[in-house]
Amino acid sequence: MARPSIATCDPSARPCLATRGSLPRSRTCAPLLFLCLLLGLTVFCADANPSDSKLLCSRLLPCEPSIEMVRNCKNLWKLLDRKVSVPCRKITTLTRTVTLTELPDKTMEAKCLQGMFELIDSAFFNETKLQEIAKGATEMNVPIYRANRKLVATKNGGLENPSPLVFNPSWNREVQRVQDKRFKYPSASGVKLPRDEEDIAFMSVLELGELIKTRQITSKELVRIYLKQLKRYNHVLEAVVTYTEELAYKQAKEADDLLSQGTYLGPLHGIPYGLKDIVAVPGYKTTWGSTSFKDQFLDIEAWVYKRLKASGAVLVAKLVTGSMAYDDIWFGGRTRNPWNIEEFSTGSSAGPAASTSAGSETAGSMTYPAARCGITALRPTFGSVGRTGVMSISESLDKLGPFCRTAADCAVILDAIKGKDPDDLSSREIAFEDPFSVDITKLTVGYTKDADMKVVEVLGSKGVNMVPFELNYTVESVQGILNFTMDVDMLAHFDEWQRTGQEDLYEAQDQWPVELRRARVVTAVDYIQAQRARGKLIREVEKSFTVDAFIGNVTDWEKVCMGNLVGLPVLVIPTGFKNITDPPTNSCRRRTTINAGIYAPPERDHIALALGMAYQSVTDAHRKRPPIDDLGPDDSIPNPPRALIPPRRLHI
């Protein structure tokens, strides 16, 4: 069999690897081949017969002697970074000869980018989006690549820095039960039913539970009160997506009937609550806050909904999530902060934070809105609450947790929803100790430089050993690791949404659309390197976490990213209030909340809860009521708001 002809750069040049022919052992034009394969280009020369070569695509480049080829390779790589000048050379195509200077720089750049994206079967982006991806990849992806490679990829063999993402081949889905000890809730005996419905609405879970247990009020009556409150304020807060009124009264009747028969299910028996609208409930829309999914019905009963229903709780509403669980903008508007309705609640658990309920966090969606709205919230240890039936951003980051009035309420909710979900491989049966039985005087608790010193002083006065503390680690790419992990995982879950152009309907184009387009060009290798760097971070944080817990700023972005990557629990507590900036009158009732975070090691949520309960036992910031629409004399909310909203950051 005759060897096929080889198109060469000139009669004396070595064969070019981008053309047909056997591969020579001598030095070749490998740099150019690599670039051409990446960009979807085919190389051949003006003096070669095009019919002798099988073209990979119609975009062509000249093949020249090796030094010039390397120079051209470097120039083409620069197209991904910035505009460059293109030398005037001839390109021979199947139909005609053109010069590169006939093509504008932007057009050449777009063609190169289009060729590259065709190789990864992603030729559905227009030129504008391609330019945006190239800019974003250069400014954000590349520095993260380099930082992670330097951190964990300088040695071969995989003997160090393993990824924390572990494969479990077991087919056994039977839950290995740990000793099931329920928390011992403190008695709320002596609680009397207030006359004012507003006072009832602001009672704690344990107080409401006592009213139900002693039959001072029925679940049906509580449902009526809470639905009335939601409907009264929702036009201001924009916190409710769907009222589950029919279901609520049905569940309330079941709770009342059980109690009349002598069956009491515990402190959540007959208590109204809401769910973030990424949690599926049969018979009701699960919109994910998005125009693309606003009419979606999922015939799934989410695990967390099952757990709450089994505890006797009554669902009254599906609450706002930012579109596809990003920030506070959704298809119906933008959720506001009840303490200052000129501000927005921030974070995708916007509705739960504005009305107290159950929410979720991947990267700040509980901590930020809880801090902004002045309520107590627990982001639990990763894996402690099952996520079946909940929209997923990242299987290794997503967490579900409560927004409540008090730390004690958060403990009650955690006790109800924790446990192994058979269909959620990352969930676990964790034997939490009873937070109501922790002796805080035996704890050593650190406080960072940015901690609220009021919390430090109060806990110190309660007998806690308070010490200065800083969590130290060498990983510098923490925020980038979180972005890579979250964005790539999210794109895997919404690949079809992007490929079919539904991203163009998204409510805030500077959010998921930009993030997920950039995620499209994160390589598999660099994703795994990010996970290896994450593993290094986890081990360093474990070594440095030498206290039982620490007090720190809960909205510091580095702490948010670190905590979510490591899986740390954190309790957000309100600690006070201050006047808003530039109030319209001296009698303005709007306030800016002050808050703190109590961080604990994984599976030590009970320590954070115990410290939070101790703090709240002698303070009252958590009992304050927001003005919402009761703004005070001569105060009104201008439209559009005067308050400057800072650039959005990932609050997922």
Side-chain angles (χ1 to χ4, degrees), residues 329-372:
I329 297 176
W330 59 295
F331 68 83
R334 192 172 186 186
T335 305
R336 293 181 179 272
N337 173 13
W339 278 101
N340 179 7
I341 61 174
E342 192 174 7
E343 291 183 335
F344 301 104
S345 62
T346 189
S348 73
S349 295
S355 49
T356 69
S357 186
S360 70
E361 171 158 326
T362 305
S365 273
M366 294 189 69
T367 50
Y368 276 92
R372 173 69 64 86

